Amino acid sequence: MCGLRDEASVDLAVRLGVDAVGFVFADSVRRISAEEAAPLVRRVTGHTVAVGVFKGSPVPEVIEIAAAAGLGTVQVHDLTSADDVTRLREAGLGVIRAVVAGDTSGDFGADRILVDGATAGAGVPWDWANQRRPDGEWILAGGLHPGNVRAAVDATGAWGVDVSSGVESSRGVKDAALIEQFVAAVRTGD
Ligand SMILES: O=C(O)c1ccccc1NCC(=O)[C@H](O)[C@H](O)COP(=O)(O)O
């Protein structure tokens, strides 16, 4: 679950046992600073992992912000090489490589690959059923919401899902009821 910026949403996601919550450090309506993220990251406990989300930051800046916010995992939308992944790993970070649907360049050795729509965080789905998808365990993102997530998983066989816009009442504002509905929809049929 991506783009969290308030305590109540973080606490709810943790209580519901979502696998990961994302804090956006890229240019976005959801952007927060490392200083704002740090106390939220400290609320992430148990099974849930806190993830820093980056686009447009050079690798040293990703490492610096992750350290300042207390993050152990990063999701990066513009990694250009396996060498970038190695540098992040050497800094002790778990790495999710985010790619746009149709990109066949692979995971660059990252821990996971996330396949997103053309514009991250825009709430626009891609052609899940017909577009080429990665092998192995991958994460589906882009335009998911409580009403389509189960069908999307069934159509693609995705290992995991990520959502931002689909659990918001208005752009950048998370909605508790939608978060609960999304998690329930994902778990239906598990
Ligand atoms: O959420 C953003 O605004 C964002 C901006 C720049 C880079 C990444 C961003 N979000 C990354 C995510 O993982 C989103 O959850 C993913 O793109 C899906 O978003 P949505 O289609 O809104 O569910």
Side-chain angles (χ1 to χ4, degrees), residues 2 26 28 30 53 75 77 116 120-124 141-143 162-165:
C2 191
S28 167
R30 307 178 180 99
V53 178
Q75 173 182 314
H77 285 248
D116 205 348
V124 179
D162 179 37
V163 63
S164 194
S165 307

Side-chain angles (χ1 to χ4, degrees), residues 88-166:
L88 293 167
R89 281 182 175 287
E90 285 175 354
L93 293 165
V95 183
I96 300 167
R97 180 180 186 221
V99 299
V100 172
D103 182 330
T104 55
S105 58
D107 61 16
F108 287 172
D111 299 288
R112 296 267 178 237
I113 190 159
L114 177 147
V115 184
D116 205 348
T119 305
V124 179
W126 48 279
D127 187 3
W128 307 307
N130 298 309
Q131 186 76 258
R132 192 166 181 274
R133 304 183 292 268
D135 297 325
E137 295 182 343
W138 62 283
I139 301 165
L140 170 65
L144 297 174
H145 56 71
N148 68 2
V149 65
R150 190 66 240 174
V153 171
D154 292 342
T156 61
W159 170 85
V161 290
D162 179 37
V163 63
S164 194
S165 307

